[in-house]
Amino acid sequence: DAKTTQPPSMDCAEGRAANLPCNHSTISGNEYVYWYRQIHSQGPQYIIHGLKNNETNEMASLIITEDRKSSTLILPHATLRDTAVYYCIVKTTDSWGKLQFGAGTQVVVTP
Amino acid sequence: NAGVTQTPKFQVLKTGQSMTLQCAQDMNHEYMSWYRQDPGMGLRLIHYSVGAGITDQGEVPNGYNVSRSTTEDFPLRLLSAAPSQTSVYFCASSYSFSGSGEQFFGPGTRLTVL
């Protein structure tokens, strides 16, 4: 599976958009990009995933570059409840159940 | 639906004791797995199951045992607890092992081994 690189931490003001980058320069054609988040002491929560097209759901948007070597998770209007560690994971569909979590990005939303 | 449930929420063991962490899901999911999370680190896969009667090892299986006799339940057994097994344990489930989609995680069991 491709390795991902994320910044260790970032701050965001409440009400503003939070843009979380992820680098996956060795991604292969059949690998999806998944985003999960973990609010303190809770189990991880699925956010969104995509292959090459941009995706949007009620929680966030996922923008994948044309060469697929990087992506950005966008939380359009960050709230205090979005404070969490965000994980970018790259997986193929044949064994996507075996998620490999890195250190993630600690996002702190401030009032 | 209750989703993924885990019991107990907290547990303290002495070195050498054995115990079973319980995990259940009511979503009729084929795939279930166990992860551990050490302080300040990401989750690591211990064991997983792609259906009743089928289990396999993940990244860190040593010291743990699993079985899957029903679709709903996937218990994790610690055979002889060691301080290195102090961690937070998460159970997860999803509709299938392959394909794309989300995994649902339980609230976790916080285990301390003295």
Side-chain angles (χ1 to χ4, degrees):
Chain A
D1 298 323
K3 182 180 169 61
T4 62
T5 303
Q6 299 177 252
S9 64
M10 62 183 295
D11 295 335
C12 178
E14 189 177 20
R16 303 294 293 271
N19 296 283
L20 283 64
C22 180
N23 184 288
H24 31 79
S25 58
T26 61
I27 193 169
S28 57
N30 63 345
E31 289 184 307
Y32 282 74
V33 179
Y34 290 87
W35 283 85
Y36 280 76
R37 74 179 183 183
Q38 187 175 24
I39 297 170
H40 181 61
S41 299
Q42 298 181 20
Q45 177 189 23
Y46 166 85
I47 301 173
I48 199 168
H49 74 281
L51 183 61
K52 51 185 174 183
N53 296 325
N54 298 337
E55 302 287 344
T56 296
N57 63 21
E58 64 279 3
M59 288 182 66
S61 295
L62 173 60
I63 308 298
I64 303 174
T65 58
E66 193 169 339
D67 63 8
R68 303 209 324 123
K69 293 185 177 182
S70 66
S71 60
T72 301
L73 179 74
I74 301 172
L75 307 177
H77 304 287
T79 70
L80 299 179
R81 288 173 295 183
D82 292 322
T83 292
V85 178
Y86 288 76
Y87 297 100
C88 170
I89 301 167
V90 173
K91 287 297 300 179
T92 58
T93 57
D94 60 350
S95 64
W96 73 272
K98 296 167 69 175
L99 296 174
Q100 290 181 298
F101 290 81
T105 297
Q106 171 68 65
V107 173
V108 176
V109 181
T110 55
Chain B
N1 286 350
V4 179
T5 58
Q6 292 183 237
T7 55
K9 285 187 170 55
F10 300 92
Q11 183 70 49
V12 179
L13 292 177
K14 294 181 180 178
T15 296
Q17 287 184 316
S18 63
M19 79 158 294
T20 299
L21 308 185
Q22 301 292 343
C23 174
Q25 52 89 12
D26 61 357
M27 298 173 281
N28 201 31
H29 285 168
E30 291 181 14
Y31 178 78
M32 297 184 74
S33 58
W34 277 101
Y35 292 84
R36 61 175 287 174
Q37 185 173 33
D38 298 330
M41 299 182 66
L43 282 72
R44 291 184 292 169
L45 183 65
I46 305 172
H47 285 285
Y48 64 95
S49 168
V50 299
I54 306 170
T55 64
D56 205 346
Q57 296 180 351
E59 182 185 353
V60 288
N62 292 342
Y64 307 95
N65 203 359
V66 293
S67 60
R68 182 115 177 256
S69 56
T70 67
T71 300
E72 295 77 21
D73 301 297
F74 190 43
L76 177 72
R77 280 181 283 278
L78 278 69
L79 308 173
S80 177
S84 61
Q85 293 178 305
T86 293
S87 191
V88 182
Y89 292 84
F90 292 101
C91 179
S93 76
S94 63
Y95 181 69
S96 70
F97 180 68
S98 61
S100 65
E102 66 178 292
Q103 287 198 48
F104 296 84
F105 284 81
T109 292
R110 282 142 189 83
L111 176 68
T112 300
V113 182
L114 303 175

